[in-house]
Amino acid sequence: MVDSLKKPSFEELRPGIKVPAKETILTPRFYTTDFDAVAEMDISVNEDELQAILEEFRVDYNRHHFVRDAEFEQSWDHIDGETRKVFVEFLERSCTAEFSGFLLYKELSRKLKGKNPTLAECFELMSRDEARHAGFLNKALSDFNLQLDLGFLTKSRSYTFFQPKFIFYATYLSEKIGYWRYIMIYRHLESHPENRVYPIFRFFENWCQDENRHGDFFDAIMRAQPQFLNDWKARLWCRFFLLSVFGTMYLNDVQRSGFYEALGLDAREYDKGVIEKTNETAARVFPIMLDVANPEFYDRLEVCVGNNEKLTQIARSNVPKPLQLVQKLPYYLANGWQFVKLYFMKPIDVVHTHGVVR
Ligand SMILES: [Fe+2]
Ligand SMILES: [Fe+2]
Protein backbone atom coordinates (compact mmCIF):
# COMPACT_ATOMS: atom_id res chain seq x y z
CA MET A 1 0.00 0.00 0.00
CA VAL A 2 2.71 2.43 1.04
CA ASP A 3 4.79 1.33 -1.93
CA SER A 4 2.00 1.86 -4.42
CA LEU A 5 1.55 5.34 -2.99
CA LYS A 6 5.24 6.10 -3.31
CA LYS A 7 5.57 4.67 -6.80
CA PRO A 8 2.39 5.28 -8.75
CA SER A 9 1.72 2.45 -11.17
CA PHE A 10 1.24 3.13 -14.85
CA GLU A 11 -0.43 0.77 -17.27
CA GLU A 12 2.20 -1.06 -19.29
CA LEU A 13 2.06 -2.44 -22.83
CA ARG A 14 4.86 -4.81 -21.85
CA PRO A 15 7.29 -4.55 -18.96
CA GLY A 16 8.76 -1.05 -18.81
CA ILE A 17 6.80 0.20 -21.86
CA LYS A 18 4.11 2.63 -20.89
CA VAL A 19 0.63 2.51 -22.43
CA PRO A 20 0.38 5.89 -24.18
CA ALA A 21 -1.89 8.41 -22.45
CA LYS A 22 -5.43 8.39 -23.82
CA GLU A 23 -5.97 10.82 -26.68
CA THR A 24 -8.19 13.69 -25.70
CA ILE A 25 -8.87 17.15 -27.02
CA LEU A 26 -6.03 18.35 -24.79
CA THR A 27 -3.30 15.81 -25.71
CA PRO A 28 -0.63 16.52 -28.35
CA ARG A 29 -1.83 15.84 -31.88
CA PHE A 30 -0.27 14.04 -34.84
CA TYR A 31 -0.66 15.84 -38.15
CA THR A 32 -0.66 15.08 -41.82
CA THR A 33 -1.16 17.44 -44.76
CA ASP A 34 -1.41 17.85 -48.52
CA PHE A 35 2.23 17.12 -49.34
CA ASP A 36 1.87 17.89 -53.06
CA ALA A 37 0.55 21.35 -52.30
CA VAL A 38 3.58 22.05 -50.09
CA ALA A 39 5.93 20.69 -52.78
CA GLU A 40 4.44 23.07 -55.32
CA MET A 41 4.72 26.13 -53.10
CA ASP A 42 6.68 28.94 -54.69
CA ILE A 43 9.02 30.28 -52.01
CA SER A 44 11.00 32.60 -54.27
CA VAL A 45 9.79 35.85 -52.65
CA ASN A 46 11.56 34.83 -49.44
CA GLU A 47 14.21 32.51 -50.83
CA ASP A 48 17.17 34.39 -49.29
CA GLU A 49 15.84 34.21 -45.76
CA LEU A 50 14.96 30.55 -46.13
CA GLN A 51 18.46 29.83 -47.44
CA ALA A 52 19.95 31.64 -44.46
CA ILE A 53 17.83 29.54 -42.10
CA LEU A 54 18.89 26.38 -43.92
CA GLU A 55 22.54 27.38 -43.42
CA GLU A 56 21.88 27.71 -39.70
CA PHE A 57 20.25 24.27 -39.58
CA ARG A 58 23.28 22.82 -41.34
CA VAL A 59 25.65 24.25 -38.74
CA ASP A 60 23.89 22.03 -36.21
CA TYR A 61 24.73 23.96 -33.05
CA ASN A 62 23.33 21.26 -30.79
CA ARG A 63 25.19 18.36 -32.37
CA HIS A 64 26.90 17.52 -29.07
CA HIS A 65 24.32 18.93 -26.71
CA PHE A 66 22.01 16.01 -26.02
CA VAL A 67 24.42 13.76 -24.17
CA ARG A 68 23.40 12.36 -20.80
CA ASP A 69 26.06 13.16 -18.24
CA ALA A 70 26.97 11.72 -14.85
CA GLU A 71 24.22 13.60 -13.04
CA PHE A 72 21.60 11.30 -14.57
CA GLU A 73 23.33 8.23 -13.19
CA GLN A 74 21.56 7.90 -9.88
CA SER A 75 18.32 6.58 -8.54
CA TRP A 76 15.28 8.83 -9.00
CA ASP A 77 13.13 6.90 -6.55
CA HIS A 78 13.09 9.87 -4.19
CA ILE A 79 10.83 11.60 -6.73
CA ASP A 80 7.76 9.71 -5.64
CA GLY A 81 4.02 9.81 -5.11
CA GLU A 82 2.09 12.51 -6.93
CA THR A 83 5.29 14.30 -8.00
CA ARG A 84 6.53 11.19 -9.75
CA LYS A 85 3.19 10.85 -11.50
CA VAL A 86 3.19 14.41 -12.81
CA PHE A 87 6.85 14.12 -13.78
CA VAL A 88 6.17 11.04 -15.89
CA GLU A 89 3.15 12.77 -17.45
CA PHE A 90 5.24 15.83 -18.28
CA LEU A 91 7.97 13.72 -19.88
CA GLU A 92 5.43 11.69 -21.84
CA ARG A 93 3.54 14.72 -23.12
CA SER A 94 6.74 16.47 -24.13
CA CYS A 95 8.13 13.34 -25.78
CA THR A 96 4.88 12.81 -27.70
CA ALA A 97 4.79 16.43 -28.87
CA GLU A 98 8.44 16.34 -29.99
CA PHE A 99 7.91 13.02 -31.72
CA SER A 100 4.83 14.30 -33.50
CA GLY A 101 7.01 17.11 -34.91
CA PHE A 102 9.59 14.56 -35.97
CA LEU A 103 7.04 12.45 -37.88
CA LEU A 104 5.51 15.40 -39.70
CA TYR A 105 8.83 16.99 -40.68
CA LYS A 106 10.31 13.66 -41.72
CA GLU A 107 7.34 12.90 -43.94
CA LEU A 108 7.47 16.38 -45.46
CA SER A 109 11.19 16.01 -46.20
CA ARG A 110 10.57 12.63 -47.83
CA LYS A 111 7.69 13.85 -49.98
CA LEU A 112 9.44 17.09 -51.00
CA LYS A 113 12.72 15.48 -51.98
CA GLY A 114 13.54 16.25 -55.60
CA LYS A 115 10.58 18.63 -55.86
CA ASN A 116 11.49 21.45 -53.51
CA PRO A 117 15.09 20.89 -52.36
CA THR A 118 15.40 23.88 -50.00
CA LEU A 119 12.25 23.01 -48.08
CA ALA A 120 13.02 19.28 -48.18
CA GLU A 121 16.39 19.84 -46.53
CA CYS A 122 14.98 22.25 -43.94
CA PHE A 123 12.37 19.68 -42.94
CA GLU A 124 15.00 16.94 -42.89
CA LEU A 125 17.20 18.93 -40.50
CA MET A 126 14.29 19.92 -38.29
CA SER A 127 13.25 16.27 -38.04
CA ARG A 128 16.82 15.53 -36.95
CA ASP A 129 16.41 18.00 -34.08
CA GLU A 130 12.99 16.69 -33.05
CA ALA A 131 14.23 13.10 -33.08
CA ARG A 132 16.97 14.14 -30.66
CA HIS A 133 14.52 15.95 -28.42
CA ALA A 134 12.05 13.05 -28.36
CA GLY A 135 14.84 10.53 -27.82
CA PHE A 136 16.30 12.52 -24.94
CA LEU A 137 12.90 12.74 -23.25
CA ASN A 138 12.22 9.06 -23.77
CA LYS A 139 15.57 8.27 -22.19
CA ALA A 140 14.58 10.47 -19.26
CA LEU A 141 11.41 8.40 -18.90
CA SER A 142 13.60 5.35 -18.49
CA ASP A 143 15.03 6.99 -15.34
CA PHE A 144 11.50 6.44 -14.00
CA ASN A 145 11.55 2.83 -15.25
CA LEU A 146 9.25 3.55 -18.19
CA GLN A 147 9.57 4.23 -21.89
CA LEU A 148 7.31 5.01 -24.81
CA ASP A 149 7.25 2.65 -27.77
CA LEU A 150 7.51 5.30 -30.48
CA GLY A 151 6.95 2.76 -33.26
CA PHE A 152 3.69 1.73 -31.63
CA LEU A 153 2.73 5.37 -31.20
CA THR A 154 3.36 5.99 -34.93
CA LYS A 155 0.96 3.24 -35.89
CA SER A 156 -1.67 3.58 -33.20
CA ARG A 157 -2.31 7.33 -33.06
CA SER A 158 -4.84 9.01 -35.27
CA TYR A 159 -3.58 11.74 -37.59
CA THR A 160 -5.34 15.05 -38.06
CA PHE A 161 -5.35 16.36 -41.62
CA PHE A 162 -4.74 20.07 -42.02
CA GLN A 163 -4.27 22.05 -45.21
CA PRO A 164 -0.71 23.41 -45.45
CA LYS A 165 -1.56 26.90 -44.27
CA PHE A 166 -3.15 25.54 -41.10
CA ILE A 167 -0.14 23.30 -40.55
CA PHE A 168 2.04 26.42 -40.77
CA TYR A 169 -0.04 28.42 -38.29
CA ALA A 170 -0.14 25.48 -35.87
CA THR A 171 3.51 24.41 -36.10
CA TYR A 172 4.75 28.01 -36.03
CA LEU A 173 2.86 28.55 -32.78
CA SER A 174 3.86 25.26 -31.24
CA GLU A 175 7.55 25.92 -31.97
CA LYS A 176 7.42 29.44 -30.54
CA ILE A 177 5.40 28.47 -27.50
CA GLY A 178 7.80 25.55 -27.02
CA TYR A 179 10.67 28.03 -27.06
CA TRP A 180 9.07 30.20 -24.39
CA ARG A 181 8.05 27.24 -22.26
CA TYR A 182 11.58 25.81 -22.18
CA ILE A 183 13.39 29.09 -21.68
CA MET A 184 11.08 30.25 -18.90
CA ILE A 185 11.59 27.03 -16.94
CA TYR A 186 15.32 27.31 -17.57
CA ARG A 187 15.53 30.91 -16.37
CA HIS A 188 13.41 30.22 -13.31
CA LEU A 189 15.63 27.31 -12.27
CA GLU A 190 18.74 29.34 -12.98
CA SER A 191 17.65 31.77 -10.28
CA HIS A 192 16.22 29.01 -8.02
CA PRO A 193 18.76 26.16 -8.36
CA GLU A 194 17.34 24.50 -5.23
CA ASN A 195 14.25 23.62 -7.30
CA ARG A 196 16.16 21.95 -10.12
CA VAL A 197 15.17 18.49 -9.00
CA TYR A 198 16.12 16.64 -12.18
CA PRO A 199 18.97 17.33 -14.64
CA ILE A 200 16.96 17.54 -17.89
CA PHE A 201 16.09 21.18 -17.21
CA ARG A 202 19.75 22.16 -17.52
CA PHE A 203 19.51 21.23 -21.21
CA PHE A 204 16.61 23.56 -21.93
CA GLU A 205 18.69 26.64 -22.75
CA ASN A 206 20.30 25.31 -25.94
CA TRP A 207 17.33 23.07 -26.63
CA CYS A 208 14.92 25.97 -26.86
CA GLN A 209 17.16 27.59 -29.47
CA ASP A 210 16.32 24.68 -31.78
CA GLU A 211 12.62 25.44 -31.29
CA ASN A 212 13.24 29.13 -31.88
CA ARG A 213 14.98 28.40 -35.18
CA HIS A 214 12.18 26.04 -36.21
CA GLY A 215 9.67 28.78 -35.45
CA ASP A 216 11.70 31.24 -37.54
CA PHE A 217 11.58 28.79 -40.42
CA PHE A 218 7.76 28.72 -40.35
CA ASP A 219 7.73 32.49 -40.00
CA ALA A 220 9.81 32.68 -43.21
CA ILE A 221 7.57 30.16 -45.00
CA MET A 222 4.45 32.15 -44.18
CA ARG A 223 6.12 35.34 -45.42
CA ALA A 224 6.91 33.51 -48.65
CA GLN A 225 3.14 32.94 -48.98
CA PRO A 226 1.72 36.38 -48.12
CA GLN A 227 -1.79 35.19 -49.00
CA PHE A 228 -1.62 33.12 -45.78
CA LEU A 229 -1.32 36.31 -43.75
CA ASN A 230 -2.94 39.26 -45.41
CA ASP A 231 -6.63 38.68 -45.91
CA TRP A 232 -9.65 38.59 -43.60
CA LYS A 233 -9.58 34.79 -43.47
CA ALA A 234 -6.01 34.87 -42.18
CA ARG A 235 -7.15 37.17 -39.35
CA LEU A 236 -9.90 34.80 -38.33
CA TRP A 237 -7.71 31.70 -38.56
CA CYS A 238 -4.76 33.23 -36.70
CA ARG A 239 -7.20 34.20 -33.96
CA PHE A 240 -8.51 30.65 -33.87
CA PHE A 241 -5.05 29.06 -33.65
CA LEU A 242 -3.77 31.50 -31.04
CA LEU A 243 -6.80 30.83 -28.88
CA SER A 244 -6.67 27.05 -29.22
CA VAL A 245 -2.95 26.86 -28.48
CA PHE A 246 -3.13 29.22 -25.49
CA GLY A 247 -6.41 27.80 -24.18
CA THR A 248 -5.41 24.13 -24.29
CA MET A 249 -2.03 24.85 -22.71
CA TYR A 250 -3.62 26.79 -19.87
CA LEU A 251 -6.27 24.16 -19.14
CA ASN A 252 -3.69 21.39 -19.30
CA ASP A 253 -1.14 23.07 -17.08
CA VAL A 254 -3.59 24.23 -14.42
CA GLN A 255 -4.83 20.64 -14.25
CA ARG A 256 -1.24 19.52 -13.69
CA SER A 257 -0.13 22.33 -11.43
CA GLY A 258 1.65 19.78 -9.21
CA PHE A 259 4.42 19.48 -11.77
CA TYR A 260 5.05 23.22 -11.74
CA GLU A 261 4.83 23.31 -7.96
CA ALA A 262 7.58 20.67 -7.81
CA LEU A 263 9.77 23.19 -9.68
CA GLY A 264 8.71 26.06 -7.43
CA LEU A 265 6.49 27.56 -10.12
CA ASP A 266 2.88 28.64 -10.04
CA ALA A 267 1.25 27.03 -13.11
CA ARG A 268 -1.04 29.99 -13.73
CA GLU A 269 1.68 32.63 -13.45
CA TYR A 270 4.03 30.55 -15.59
CA ASP A 271 1.40 30.07 -18.29
CA LYS A 272 0.43 33.71 -18.28
CA GLY A 273 4.07 34.60 -18.86
CA VAL A 274 4.43 32.08 -21.68
CA ILE A 275 1.19 33.25 -23.31
CA GLU A 276 2.14 36.93 -23.11
CA LYS A 277 5.55 36.28 -24.71
CA THR A 278 4.24 33.96 -27.43
CA ASN A 279 1.45 36.41 -28.24
CA GLU A 280 4.05 39.18 -28.67
CA THR A 281 6.31 36.98 -30.77
CA ALA A 282 3.46 35.86 -33.04
CA ALA A 283 2.49 39.51 -33.56
CA ARG A 284 5.64 39.91 -35.68
CA VAL A 285 4.15 37.71 -38.38
CA PHE A 286 0.41 37.26 -37.71
CA PRO A 287 -1.89 40.16 -38.60
CA ILE A 288 -3.50 40.19 -35.15
CA MET A 289 -2.70 39.32 -31.55
CA LEU A 290 -5.08 38.33 -28.75
CA ASP A 291 -6.01 40.83 -26.07
CA VAL A 292 -4.73 38.65 -23.23
CA ALA A 293 -4.36 41.67 -20.93
CA ASN A 294 -8.15 41.99 -20.88
CA PRO A 295 -9.23 40.28 -17.61
CA GLU A 296 -12.10 38.64 -19.47
CA PHE A 297 -9.57 36.37 -21.19
CA TYR A 298 -8.42 34.54 -18.06
CA ASP A 299 -11.79 34.87 -16.34
CA ARG A 300 -13.35 32.78 -19.08
CA LEU A 301 -10.51 30.25 -19.03
CA GLU A 302 -11.00 29.93 -15.27
CA VAL A 303 -14.66 29.09 -15.81
CA CYS A 304 -13.42 26.22 -18.04
CA VAL A 305 -10.95 25.16 -15.33
CA GLY A 306 -13.89 24.90 -12.90
CA ASN A 307 -15.93 22.92 -15.44
CA ASN A 308 -13.00 20.56 -16.02
CA GLU A 309 -12.79 19.86 -12.29
CA LYS A 310 -16.45 18.87 -12.35
CA LEU A 311 -15.80 16.66 -15.39
CA THR A 312 -12.96 14.92 -13.56
CA GLN A 313 -15.16 14.32 -10.52
CA ILE A 314 -17.84 12.76 -12.71
CA ALA A 315 -15.29 10.55 -14.49
CA ARG A 316 -14.00 9.32 -11.12
CA SER A 317 -17.47 8.55 -9.75
CA ASN A 318 -19.09 5.12 -9.73
CA VAL A 319 -21.93 6.27 -11.95
CA PRO A 320 -22.38 4.05 -15.06
CA LYS A 321 -20.64 5.41 -18.18
CA PRO A 322 -23.76 6.30 -20.23
CA LEU A 323 -25.14 8.26 -17.30
CA GLN A 324 -21.75 9.96 -16.83
CA LEU A 325 -22.01 11.22 -20.38
CA VAL A 326 -25.35 12.81 -19.61
CA GLN A 327 -23.87 14.42 -16.49
CA LYS A 328 -20.86 15.67 -18.42
CA LEU A 329 -22.73 17.17 -21.36
CA PRO A 330 -23.65 20.51 -19.74
CA TYR A 331 -20.01 21.11 -18.78
CA TYR A 332 -18.79 20.34 -22.29
CA LEU A 333 -21.37 22.73 -23.67
CA ALA A 334 -20.41 25.37 -21.11
CA ASN A 335 -16.74 25.05 -22.11
CA GLY A 336 -17.65 25.30 -25.78
CA TRP A 337 -19.65 28.45 -25.05
CA GLN A 338 -16.71 30.03 -23.16
CA PHE A 339 -14.45 29.36 -26.14
CA VAL A 340 -16.98 30.91 -28.52
CA LYS A 341 -17.04 34.02 -26.31
CA LEU A 342 -13.24 34.02 -26.15
CA TYR A 343 -13.05 33.73 -29.92
CA PHE A 344 -15.26 36.77 -30.35
CA MET A 345 -13.23 38.96 -27.99
CA LYS A 346 -11.81 41.81 -30.05
CA PRO A 347 -8.22 41.04 -31.08
CA ILE A 348 -5.48 43.67 -31.48
CA ASP A 349 -4.55 44.64 -35.01
CA VAL A 350 -0.77 44.60 -35.38
CA VAL A 351 -0.23 44.91 -39.13
CA HIS A 352 0.88 48.55 -38.76
CA THR A 353 3.72 47.43 -36.45
CA HIS A 354 5.18 44.96 -38.95
CA GLY A 355 8.56 46.00 -40.24
CA VAL A 356 9.16 48.13 -37.15
CA VAL A 357 12.26 46.97 -35.30
CA ARG A 358 11.45 45.87 -31.75
FE1 LIG B 1 11.70 20.02 -30.36
FE1 LIG C 1 10.86 22.16 -32.89
Side-chain angles (χ1 to χ4, degrees):
M1 166 77 189
V2 174
D3 254 346
S4 67
L5 197 72
K6 282 184 91 175
K7 273 220 192 154
S9 61
F10 291 95
E11 261 191 280
E12 289 172 314
L13 275 179
R14 23 179 219 283
I17 305 296
K18 188 180 176 304
V19 171
K22 219 172 87 216
E23 280 183 71
T24 70
I25 193 164
L26 296 179
T27 49
R29 249 119 260 279
F30 282 30
Y31 296 107
T32 180
T33 189
D34 180 347
F35 297 106
D36 293 333
V38 182
E40 280 159 23
M41 256 170 38
D42 175 11
I43 51 166
S44 53
V45 293
N46 207 12
E47 179 87 41
D48 291 350
E49 197 187 341
L50 282 159
Q51 276 300 337
I53 290 171
L54 175 55
E55 285 305 324
E56 286 240 299
F57 286 161
R58 284 179 180 153
V59 176
D60 196 2
Y61 296 98
N62 283 338
R63 182 190 304 252
H64 303 297
H65 182 61
F66 294 94
V67 179
R68 281 161 63 90
D69 52 22
E71 206 190 328
F72 285 94
E73 288 165 23
Q74 51 172 297
S75 161
W76 298 100
D77 286 353
H78 59 277
I79 300 181
D80 56 12
E82 191 56 27
T83 312
R84 192 177 181 92
K85 187 168 160 268
V86 288
F87 245 82
V88 166
E89 279 174 6
F90 170 80
L91 293 172
E92 175 178 5
R93 284 184 65 79
S94 308
C95 181
T96 310
E98 297 280 10
F99 186 66
S100 136
F102 160 77
L103 284 179
L104 176 69
Y105 301 161
K106 188 76 195 169
E107 196 58 12
L108 276 158
S109 78
R110 238 168 41 81
K111 296 272 172 55
L112 268 53
K113 207 162 224 149
K115 293 183 187 161
N116 201 328
T118 305
L119 292 192
E121 193 179 350
C122 284
F123 281 116
E124 170 68 31
L125 297 178
M126 289 198 300
S127 75
R128 166 202 70 194
D129 296 340
E130 305 301 14
R132 273 181 200 149
H133 302 166
F136 203 66
L137 285 155
N138 209 8
K139 200 81 190 118
L141 269 171
S142 71
D143 288 335
F144 299 88
N145 309 321
L146 288 166
Q147 278 214 294
L148 286 180
D149 180 341
L150 298 176
F152 175 77
L153 213 57
T154 311
K155 281 177 265 155
S156 66
R157 285 290 290 251
S158 49
Y159 289 74
T160 307
F161 177 88
F162 270 167
Q163 279 177 38
K165 79 167 171 181
F166 300 136
I167 286 282
F168 297 144
Y169 298 145
T171 46
Y172 167 76
L173 278 177
S174 82
E175 295 290 359
K176 286 295 181 186
I177 209 165
Y179 164 75
W180 284 111
R181 286 175 65 80
Y182 286 141
I183 196 67
M184 286 176 90
I185 290 182
Y186 180 83
R187 286 186 190 147
H188 162 76
L189 294 177
E190 203 177 25
S191 51
H192 298 85
E194 70 282 6
N195 287 326
R196 203 173 57 72
V197 288
Y198 181 66
I200 203 165
F201 307 113
R202 257 194 303 119
F203 290 75
F204 280 9
E205 190 183 27
N206 292 22
W207 185 329
C208 75
Q209 294 307 332
D210 282 343
E211 313 305 5
N212 205 23
R213 282 186 283 271
H214 299 169
D216 289 342
F217 165 77
F218 288 109
D219 176 311
I221 285 250
M222 289 189 285
R223 284 177 207 276
Q225 305 291 306
Q227 75 279 12
F228 287 177
L229 297 169
N230 61 12
D231 62 5
W232 61 272
K233 283 182 281 180
R235 287 166 182 274
L236 295 182
W237 281 113
C238 288
R239 213 203 280 196
F240 172 81
F241 279 94
L242 284 164
L243 176 60
S244 20
V245 169
F246 295 166
T248 46
M249 178 181 79
Y250 191 82
L251 297 185
N252 255 315
D253 286 349
V254 171
Q255 219 168 41
R256 292 173 179 75
S257 55
F259 171 76
Y260 298 91
E261 263 165 45
L263 305 184
L265 279 165
D266 176 273
R268 287 182 167 84
E269 291 313 308
Y270 167 73
D271 270 39
K272 285 177 182 171
V274 170
I275 287 171
E276 187 189 332
K277 289 295 184 187
T278 311
N279 200 31
E280 279 169 11
T281 304
R284 290 189 218 144
V285 59
F286 284 176
I288 52 101
M289 68 196 282
L290 299 189
D291 186 8
V292 296
N294 183 339
E296 186 187 340
F297 185 76
Y298 288 106
D299 287 350
R300 292 200 179 279
L301 286 177
E302 284 300 327
V303 174
C304 297
V305 168
N307 289 336
N308 285 356
E309 279 164 16
K310 300 271 179 18
L311 286 165
T312 313
Q313 280 167 18
I314 296 170
R316 283 192 188 140
S317 71
N318 294 326
V319 176
K321 290 278 175 223
L323 200 61
Q324 278 193 10
L325 204 64
V326 177
Q327 290 178 329
K328 284 177 176 178
L329 194 63
Y331 297 108
Y332 285 135
L333 290 174
N335 278 354
W337 176 241
Q338 289 306 325
F339 269 82
V340 169
K341 296 292 268 184
L342 281 162
Y343 183 79
F344 284 104
M345 276 178 68
K346 195 171 165 8
I348 301 165
D349 197 304
V350 290
V351 173
H352 63 282
T353 65
H354 290 171
V356 178
V357 179
R358 268 184 266 193

mmCIF file of all heavy atoms in Angstrom, residues 98 129-130 133-134 175 182 207 210-211 214, ligand 1:
data_model
loop_
_atom_site.group_PDB
_atom_site.id
_atom_site.type_symbol
_atom_site.label_atom_id
_atom_site.label_comp_id
_atom_site.label_asym_id
_atom_site.label_seq_id
_atom_site.Cartn_x
_atom_site.Cartn_y
_atom_site.Cartn_z
ATOM 1 N N GLU A 98 7.206 16.270 -29.207
ATOM 2 C CA GLU A 98 8.443 16.340 -29.993
ATOM 3 C C GLU A 98 8.410 15.281 -31.104
ATOM 4 O O GLU A 98 8.799 15.537 -32.236
ATOM 5 C CB GLU A 98 9.668 16.083 -29.104
ATOM 6 C CG GLU A 98 9.892 17.126 -27.999
ATOM 7 C CD GLU A 98 10.571 18.394 -28.511
ATOM 8 O OE1 GLU A 98 10.699 18.570 -29.729
ATOM 9 O OE2 GLU A 98 10.970 19.214 -27.658
ATOM 10 N N ASP A 129 16.471 17.376 -35.409
ATOM 11 C CA ASP A 129 16.409 18.000 -34.083
ATOM 12 C C ASP A 129 15.308 17.376 -33.223
ATOM 13 O O ASP A 129 15.519 17.057 -32.056
ATOM 14 C CB ASP A 129 16.124 19.508 -34.197
ATOM 15 C CG ASP A 129 17.248 20.253 -34.913
ATOM 16 O OD1 ASP A 129 18.380 19.709 -34.979
ATOM 17 O OD2 ASP A 129 16.989 21.368 -35.405
ATOM 18 N N GLU A 130 14.123 17.211 -33.833
ATOM 19 C CA GLU A 130 12.992 16.693 -33.047
ATOM 20 C C GLU A 130 13.241 15.253 -32.609
ATOM 21 O O GLU A 130 12.818 14.846 -31.528
ATOM 22 C CB GLU A 130 11.669 16.793 -33.825
ATOM 23 C CG GLU A 130 11.305 18.176 -34.337
ATOM 24 C CD GLU A 130 11.160 19.257 -33.277
ATOM 25 O OE1 GLU A 130 11.577 19.057 -32.125
ATOM 26 O OE2 GLU A 130 10.631 20.328 -33.625
ATOM 27 N N HIS A 133 15.294 15.487 -29.580
ATOM 28 C CA HIS A 133 14.515 15.945 -28.425
ATOM 29 C C HIS A 133 13.651 14.805 -27.875
ATOM 30 O O HIS A 133 13.623 14.557 -26.672
ATOM 31 C CB HIS A 133 13.600 17.125 -28.792
ATOM 32 C CG HIS A 133 14.335 18.312 -29.353
ATOM 33 N ND1 HIS A 133 13.713 19.342 -30.001
ATOM 34 C CD2 HIS A 133 15.659 18.620 -29.356
ATOM 35 C CE1 HIS A 133 14.618 20.243 -30.379
ATOM 36 N NE2 HIS A 133 15.798 19.824 -29.997
ATOM 37 N N ALA A 134 12.943 14.136 -28.799
ATOM 38 C CA ALA A 134 12.049 13.050 -28.363
ATOM 39 C C ALA A 134 12.865 11.928 -27.722
ATOM 40 O O ALA A 134 12.481 11.370 -26.691
ATOM 41 C CB ALA A 134 11.246 12.522 -29.543
ATOM 42 N N GLU A 175 6.101 25.728 -32.119
ATOM 43 C CA GLU A 175 7.549 25.917 -31.970
ATOM 44 C C GLU A 175 7.847 27.129 -31.079
ATOM 45 O O GLU A 175 8.696 27.075 -30.194
ATOM 46 C CB GLU A 175 8.215 26.132 -33.338
ATOM 47 C CG GLU A 175 8.137 24.935 -34.281
ATOM 48 C CD GLU A 175 9.002 23.763 -33.851
ATOM 49 O OE1 GLU A 175 9.697 23.855 -32.822
ATOM 50 O OE2 GLU A 175 8.977 22.725 -34.544
ATOM 51 N N TYR A 182 10.274 26.330 -22.620
ATOM 52 C CA TYR A 182 11.576 25.811 -22.181
ATOM 53 C C TYR A 182 12.429 26.912 -21.548
ATOM 54 O O TYR A 182 13.021 26.723 -20.498
ATOM 55 C CB TYR A 182 12.331 25.182 -23.364
ATOM 56 C CG TYR A 182 11.808 23.831 -23.815
ATOM 57 C CD1 TYR A 182 11.751 23.496 -25.173
ATOM 58 C CD2 TYR A 182 11.386 22.872 -22.898
ATOM 59 C CE1 TYR A 182 11.292 22.249 -25.594
ATOM 60 C CE2 TYR A 182 10.916 21.624 -23.321
ATOM 61 C CZ TYR A 182 10.876 21.318 -24.669
ATOM 62 O OH TYR A 182 10.431 20.092 -25.078
ATOM 63 N N TRP A 207 18.465 23.800 -26.042
ATOM 64 C CA TRP A 207 17.331 23.068 -26.630
ATOM 65 C C TRP A 207 16.322 24.047 -27.207
ATOM 66 O O TRP A 207 15.867 23.905 -28.343
ATOM 67 C CB TRP A 207 16.733 22.236 -25.520
ATOM 68 C CG TRP A 207 15.623 21.290 -25.821
ATOM 69 C CD1 TRP A 207 14.647 21.397 -26.779
ATOM 70 C CD2 TRP A 207 15.381 20.062 -25.116
ATOM 71 N NE1 TRP A 207 13.799 20.327 -26.698
ATOM 72 C CE2 TRP A 207 14.218 19.493 -25.701
ATOM 73 C CE3 TRP A 207 15.993 19.405 -24.060
ATOM 74 C CZ2 TRP A 207 13.687 18.284 -25.236
ATOM 75 C CZ3 TRP A 207 15.451 18.221 -23.618
ATOM 76 C CH2 TRP A 207 14.324 17.668 -24.197
ATOM 77 N N ASP A 210 16.794 25.482 -30.635
ATOM 78 C CA ASP A 210 16.315 24.683 -31.777
ATOM 79 C C ASP A 210 14.875 25.075 -32.102
ATOM 80 O O ASP A 210 14.527 25.312 -33.257
ATOM 81 C CB ASP A 210 16.335 23.176 -31.449
ATOM 82 C CG ASP A 210 17.735 22.562 -31.525
ATOM 83 O OD1 ASP A 210 18.635 23.191 -32.127
ATOM 84 O OD2 ASP A 210 17.919 21.446 -30.977
ATOM 85 N N GLU A 211 14.047 25.132 -31.058
ATOM 86 C CA GLU A 211 12.619 25.445 -31.285
ATOM 87 C C GLU A 211 12.467 26.859 -31.857
ATOM 88 O O GLU A 211 11.626 27.102 -32.718
ATOM 89 C CB GLU A 211 11.799 25.324 -29.998
ATOM 90 C CG GLU A 211 12.013 24.076 -29.158
ATOM 91 C CD GLU A 211 11.814 22.747 -29.885
ATOM 92 O OE1 GLU A 211 11.584 22.746 -31.111
ATOM 93 O OE2 GLU A 211 11.911 21.699 -29.219
ATOM 94 N N HIS A 214 13.278 26.679 -35.481
ATOM 95 C CA HIS A 214 12.177 26.038 -36.212
ATOM 96 C C HIS A 214 11.034 27.043 -36.404
ATOM 97 O O HIS A 214 10.447 27.128 -37.475
ATOM 98 C CB HIS A 214 11.637 24.820 -35.456
ATOM 99 C CG HIS A 214 12.657 23.733 -35.233
ATOM 100 N ND1 HIS A 214 12.440 22.669 -34.394
ATOM 101 C CD2 HIS A 214 13.898 23.554 -35.740
ATOM 102 C CE1 HIS A 214 13.504 21.883 -34.399
ATOM 103 N NE2 HIS A 214 14.405 22.398 -35.202
HETATM 104 FE FE FE B 1 11.699 20.017 -30.356
#
